[in-house]
Amino acid sequence: MKKFNIIIKVPVADISFLPLDHPGANDPEYRERRNQIARAAQEFRENPEHIPTIPYTKVEKLTWSTAIEKLFPLHEKFASELHRNAQKKLKIPEKSIPQLKKLNEQIERLHGFQLAPIEGLIDSRSFLSALGQRTMLCTQYIRHKSRPDYTPEPDIIHEVIGHVPAFADRDMVDFSVLLGKLAKKANEKELKAIERIYWFTIEFGLLEEEGKLKAFGAGLLSSIGEIQHCFTDAVERKP
């Protein structure tokens, strides 16, 4: 495995701040756990040698399995073949939360792409520019146990179920890297356009397979509600 060349020197969102409508806002144990996992990611950024292994708790594993048991059947119905094939190739488990370190080793062997932990949200230029360096920045904490079907921010379910399988496909790797390279040198107007392309493809994109629309955006694939909602008449879909 090659050495990580990602260096993030911009402010990262304070993960300890949760709005009052966040499912875990009033759970001090959950907040401390998020902070603990975030500190591991911060240590990695300061010394990017080895991705930290997170010893997930029984509660966290249950949250994962509860969400995945509902998502995988929906993927069989709604997800693109591109995504389903990649997910099977990576052998993403249903009952246990996969470690980012192991997934990174698998992804890197396939197409030379890398995954790296990040403790919170960062600005879009930095996030996209990392893609241009063939690296996806991923959170490692998981959503609150009270809402395994929902998260107001990226978590390990969103990253691993939504994003990671795409990097087992060379075309998706090349597309992500291209957007990242463009974002790094774009002016503010151009950056907004690149953000929209990313949002309506990699995050919430649909594609056509054998005449049928299928989901391949990470925001759809990691959300029990969104993946069903996007195929209803309530959603406007544009080519």
Side-chain angles (χ1 to χ4, degrees), residues 6-171:
I6 274 295
I7 301 175
I8 304 296
K9 293 185 176 180
V10 298
V12 178
D14 181 3
I15 202 171
S16 65
F17 173 77
L18 295 180
L20 291 177
D21 60 350
H22 190 289
N26 296 313
D27 185 340
E29 184 178 351
Y30 176 73
R31 297 176 71 121
E32 173 52 34
R33 176 63 171 159
R34 281 166 54 93
N35 294 343
Q36 182 184 38
I37 294 174
R39 285 193 292 271
Q42 184 178 14
E43 290 170 5
F44 171 84
R45 286 204 298 119
E46 294 169 354
N47 183 26
E49 289 287 340
H50 304 288
I51 295 176
T53 296
I54 305 299
Y56 291 105
T57 66
K58 289 182 179 180
V59 170
E60 290 167 337
K61 291 175 183 177
L62 180 59
T63 302
W64 169 275
S65 63
T66 301
I68 303 311
E69 284 172 5
K70 294 180 180 179
L71 279 171
F72 277 7
L74 292 172
H75 285 188
E76 290 298 320
K77 183 177 181 180
F78 296 114
S80 68
E81 185 177 358
L82 179 154
H83 182 86
R84 287 186 284 110
N85 288 344
Q87 194 162 264
K88 290 173 183 175
K89 183 184 294 186
L90 296 174
K91 298 179 179 178
I92 294 174
E94 292 187 41
K95 299 297 183 182
S96 61
I97 305 173
Q99 291 292 334
L100 203 62
K101 180 179 180 180
K102 182 177 179 180
L103 288 171
N104 176 62
E105 291 169 355
Q106 292 176 273
I107 292 296
E108 188 178 7
R109 281 198 300 268
L110 290 171
H111 303 300
F113 202 83
Q114 290 186 313
L115 309 172
I118 191 76
E119 61 265 37
L121 293 171
I122 60 174
D123 69 285
S124 61
R125 188 186 298 275
S126 299
F127 174 79
L128 292 169
S129 296
L131 294 177
Q133 298 179 60
R134 307 185 75 82
T135 302
M136 170 80 180
L137 301 175
C138 301
T139 55
Q140 290 180 283
Y141 56 86
I142 196 165
R143 59 196 62 178
H144 192 259
K145 62 184 179 182
S146 67
R147 291 296 307 272
D149 62 320
Y150 169 75
T151 176
E153 71 221 315
D155 73 332
I156 191 73
I157 295 176
H158 175 77
E159 313 288 29
V160 171
I161 300 301
H163 283 292
V164 170
F167 302 119
D169 181 85
R170 182 177 294 278
D171 288 338

Side-chain angles (χ1 to χ4, degrees), residues 176-218:
S176 300
V177 172
L178 174 62
L179 289 182
K181 288 182 176 179
L182 291 172
K184 185 176 182 179
K185 59 184 180 181
N187 60 37
E188 290 304 314
K189 182 179 179 180
E190 293 166 341
L191 181 61
K192 290 295 182 184
I194 295 168
E195 288 173 359
R196 286 195 295 273
I197 292 171
Y198 183 90
W199 188 256
F200 289 111
T201 56
I202 293 176
E203 278 293 352
F204 286 94
L206 302 171
L207 54 77
E208 188 175 303
E209 290 178 342
E210 299 181 353
K212 296 181 179 180
L213 282 180
K214 296 291 183 177
F216 84 99

